[in-house]
Amino acid sequence: MHEKLYADIAVPSVPKDTLTYAVPDGLCERMQPGVRVMVPLGRRLLMGFVIRVHDRMPDFALKAVQQVLDPAPVITPEVMQLCDWVHRYYVCGLGEAIKAALPQGMDVDTARYVSLCTEDEELIARVVGRSKTKAAIIDALRTGEVMTEEELLALSGVRSISAQLRELLMEGVAQVESTIERPAARAKIVLTVRLVDPWQKREKIAEVMEILESRAPKQANIVATLWKHHGQGRRTVQMADLVREARASSAQVRALEEKDIVEILEEEVTREWEIRYAEKKKKITLTEAQRRVHGAISEAVDAEAHQTMLLYGVTGSGKTQVYIEAIRHTLAKGKSALVLVPEISLTPQFVYRIREAFGKDVTVMHSRMSVGERFDAWRLTLAGEYRVVVGVRSAVFAPLADIGLIVVDEEQEASYKQSDSVPRYHGRDAAIMRGWLEQVPVLLGSATPSAESWHNAHSGKYAWLELPERVDNAVLPVFETVDMAEARRQRLLRGAFSTTLVDEIRSRCERGEASIILHNRRGFAPHVECRDCGYVEECENCSISMTFHKDAVLLRCHYCGATRKVPVICPECGGTDLDNVGAGTQRVEEDLKAELPQARIIRMDADSTRRKGAHDLLLTAFSQGEADVLLGTQMVAKGLDFDRVTLVGVVAAEQSLLIPDFRSSERTMQLLTQVAGRAGRGSRPGTVVLQASQPQHPVLQFVLRHDYPGFMESELRSRKALYYPPFSRIVQLTFSGEDERAVEQTAKLYHISLGREEHFFSMHAPQPALLSRINRRYRWQLLLRVEKTRDGDGSKIGDALRRAEEYYLRQARNKSVHISIDVDPHNMM
């Protein structure tokens, strides 16, 4: 007889941190922290995560856990600690934080099936009454078919059937059964075939082959194929591969099974992400600066204590090789390593080099993998099969055991911040916290560190490491600017290009060298405008103009994805003088082809790289000399290392300075420095041509001087005066809904509640967001600036926000507004 146990369970989408359930005697042995369970909540069955198991009986009635889904914990204690920090710091549900630690496809949903449970027409008529919705539900169920709530909702034609369905259930007219649906992420099982033991000897094979060749030649082919693979050391062959190679059928394999010649088995197979990028290997010798930095990192790994180190290395200084040597040292000590990169698709060279260095010890985790590939990478890491994990921000939750080093490459990248879903965590900051929790050194690397990391390193919070020069005696590129306003006056423009940039590209093509052209705006034209009245085609769902895509001949909204045909007549004035204003990558490509028809151009943007593996294939083609020009958005600006690139051109250098965000100067400096660093990485010097309408802008002047330290000194001075991060912590609340009045009212209720808190933060009155409407939902924002000296760990602001939520729930009449909390936001739109 077990002692009565209870479990505290975190359920995603439930506001409370945990809910307490009774543990049935039959499940006591399997109840452990970190396993997934199914629990009842209202009339639903939901998946949750066990946080703790105890014997303290609550003083309220409890429901019982329905099912344990895992034989062993899927969340390790180390990852559970990190999830707890994410939940507290980013003010989200604990269940949501834990859910983010698991690969997509491991969610377990339940379907609620409704059926009629009476034939009493008098009862049915009394319960249905005059309700058309109830009548529609009953009519749908009279067929005898069991239907889901979603199917009934679609048939009823109304927005909700919850109340009507509840009444039908209470009156005994209908019944509901919940069924657990199979998760999408699971191990892949395939049929394999092997020769039975007696037939694994040469003389026995000769004997059976002599019989089969005359009587069943197809079966003889199967046996011969299995014998060939057996001789190569392969114990089993997949059924699909076997029948294809032997030109036979599965029925003929099963005929051999009946004769006890072969055995058909079920085996798990591993689905791995295939890197389609390849390059020639280089012999690498560390420079003196690289050896010095490697020594400092090795000492930190040997100390087995937490320390955050910032490695500032100019573009082309060999940071990747330093990472590889540091990981090699870590593995030699019997430890594992975690490496975060901003986006795998933008850094195929980086991943390729890590895999080349460590082979089968490496797995990759990122969003472009299939559900099965991600699940296999995760589960085999949990099983201890991999010692090095390379991945995007979500890989910070990788279930690696005994980590010895965490590396965050390009630590300044905004893509480390999750902004569009809960939890809105920052991968770099979560990596630093994981290092602290597990007492592991964390190495941040960048040629353009973030203002926060630069400040932390120069204030002594982080250790400072530096690679001041490029490897192989390569020199930084020289800059040339083109004043686009002056070039326009002198009629020296060729579409989006100045004659200067066109001539530079032409000369590279003639010499067999390569060029990279950056234009950080996809599509053909940013908007279509009527020249008669100034009307601009806007998205009907969002407060933003629609972008013209010439390849598809349509307008597309880059926020909600809506598309529409290009108008021929202005809907405002009836005019026909409609023009495509501005330039996207498609138009820039067209302009370049018109000037240099002989140039071979590869365009890389979100439109040309939608297919799986497209990035790798395009970059491999460029690296192998199949194109002269690589044109694209910011995905061509970072992580690329091609010796043959001697020219980088930037079509509109000041474009990102116009974004209304306090980080716009920093991001412009980083983007231009990074893309400039793609030029001159080999033996030939590089040139960078910046086209700008304001070439004297202070940020561009810092870029021209290769003066990132000077820029950071100026930027931090400005941030301190304005009390922006890193000198404060920003929390952004966004309120959205279809009812504009309700959205405004909710924002004001939060403002009232937060105004009652002690003054450890400042805030302005709520106001409409810069993008005031997205996907038919109105948006308001409330911005808080928190004093770090009075709320170092963010716990006080978290408590204040929870009290504000309680106040809103008590006061609001309309609770249809969605409220998102973003701590340390990177998107202020």
Side-chain angles (χ1 to χ4, degrees), residues 659-734:
I659 298 172
D661 189 317
F662 74 90
R663 288 191 176 91
S664 60
S665 292
E666 178 186 359
R667 287 176 178 161
T668 301
M669 182 75 192
Q670 289 167 342
L671 179 62
L672 296 181
T673 301
Q674 291 279 357
V675 74
R678 303 312 108 200
R681 296 170 79 97
S683 58
R684 290 166 287 191
T687 300
V688 181
V689 177
L690 298 182
Q691 296 186 162
S693 298
Q694 305 174 52
Q696 298 306 314
H697 192 286
V699 173
L700 300 186
Q701 291 301 305
F702 281 119
V703 175
L704 297 179
R705 296 195 300 269
H706 296 288
D707 188 9
Y708 198 78
F711 167 78
M712 266 299 151
E713 184 180 343
S714 171
E715 180 71 7
L716 287 171
R717 198 163 48 239
S718 174
R719 298 267 189 102
K720 189 173 185 179
L722 297 171
Y723 200 49
Y724 277 123
F727 303 98
S728 66
R729 177 183 296 114
I730 286 184
V731 178
Q732 179 177 274
L733 281 74
T734 302

Side-chain angles (χ1 to χ4, degrees), residues 36 38 45 47 67 69 105-113 148-151 177-186:
R36 296 172 302 156
M38 298 302 295
L45 271 182
M47 184 186 76
Q67 186 175 348
L69 299 172
M106 285 188 67
D107 290 354
V108 177
D109 290 326
T110 55
R112 285 163 51 82
Y113 290 95
T148 66
E149 285 189 46
E150 289 74 17
E151 291 169 334
E177 292 183 5
S178 294
T179 303
I180 297 176
E181 296 186 333
R182 196 177 181 192
R186 52 186 180 270

Side-chain angles (χ1 to χ4, degrees), residues 6 142 146 155 189 227 387 426 459 466 472 529 542 606 632 664 691 704 753 793:
Y6 306 91
R142 283 185 190 279
V146 178
L155 284 171
I189 307 296
W227 176 252
R387 301 173 66 201
H426 197 295
S459 63
E466 188 172 2
D472 298 329
E529 181 179 312
C542 313
S664 60
Q691 296 186 162
L704 297 179
S753 176
D793 62 358

